[in-house]
Amino acid sequence: MFKLVFATNNLNKLNEVSNMLPENVELLTLEQIGCLEDIPETHDTLEENALQKARYVYEKYGLNCFADDTGLEVDALDGRPGVHSAHYAGDQRDSHNNMDKLLKELEHIDNRNARFRTVIALILDGEELLFNGIAEGEIIKEKHGEGGFGYDPIFLPEGYQQTFAQMPLKQKNQISHRYKAIKMFADYLMSLNYF
Ligand code: IMP
């Protein structure tokens, strides 16, 4: 088996990724390698934050590793909340407060274009690679739907009539930013000789 650390302890993310990777990849979480501390995420871009997490594991534990970072980028707000998406309205990471803050900022703004972007940073034997998955859409004026998480109730993906929170999870997972980034990453791994 080829051991690869996913710099996360989020089991939902782990399952989503593990279903798409080559069969001989053994995915390890941070907990499984004994990394119990919070890895710093101190940068202003998704790319730098994802790389920072992957480098931390590669340098400290000497294991091949990948890490992800996701943000919602709103054009009229110069790309905010971006790297601050999780705690846009404060440290408590409350999705409803985050959405309320965003809706208030966009109250009198016509340009509602936005995108979710997931960056995956991979370090394989010291070589660093980035994969970028994008879901384009717009921020609607009110929350719709109960499914999903985060900003899903106010995000209408381009070409669809339902928000990410209204559509079945299976459908969201076929068009999402995270799916697209994972797919590119998985295709890259498949193209290598070890798999
Ligand atoms: P993370 O990098 O995956 O932890 O994502 C950071 C933040 O972006 C989350 O806390 C959510 O607020 C937001 N986010 C990420 N992915 C999604 C999504 O698929 N739907 C809605 N919000 C998301």
Side-chain angles (χ1 to χ4, degrees), residues 14-65:
L14 197 81
N15 287 337
E16 194 178 347
V17 172
S18 69
N19 289 333
M20 288 170 63
L21 293 188
E23 277 180 3
N24 57 340
V25 172
E26 181 185 354
L27 270 191
L28 301 169
T29 61
L30 290 173
E31 204 179 316
Q32 284 170 319
I33 62 163
C35 175
L36 303 177
E37 64 272 24
D38 273 339
I39 302 179
E41 282 180 65
T42 52
H43 293 284
D44 295 332
T45 65
L46 300 172
E47 283 79 0
E48 286 172 299
N49 278 338
L51 271 173
Q52 184 178 24
K53 285 187 278 185
R55 282 182 188 141
Y56 183 95
V57 171
Y58 187 76
E59 284 161 16
K60 188 158 176 194
Y61 297 88
L63 295 166
N64 288 321
C65 177

Side-chain angles (χ1 to χ4, degrees), residues 114-170:
R115 71 203 51 77
F116 278 115
R117 205 157 70 80
T118 293
V119 172
I120 293 178
L122 168 68
I123 308 188
L124 215 49
D125 300 331
E127 191 189 352
E128 297 183 344
L129 284 127
L130 291 171
F131 304 89
N132 188 19
I134 295 176
E136 293 284 351
E138 60 183 279
I139 304 299
I140 56 171
K141 296 205 176 229
E142 287 167 5
K143 299 169 194 168
H144 286 290
E146 305 293 329
F149 70 100
Y151 297 86
D152 281 347
I154 57 171
F155 185 79
L156 185 68
E158 198 172 76
Y160 292 84
Q161 307 300 322
Q162 289 183 310
T163 65
F164 267 173
Q166 288 174 303
M167 61 177 56
L169 185 60
K170 209 170 157 198

Side-chain angles (χ1 to χ4, degrees), residues 13 68-71 85-86 93 98 116 149-152 164 172 177-178:
K13 283 189 184 178
D68 72 328
D69 202 19
T70 297
S85 296
R93 293 173 172 250
N98 288 340
F116 278 115
F149 70 100
Y151 297 86
D152 281 347
F164 267 173
K172 177 191 165 188
H177 42 297
R178 203 175 349 272

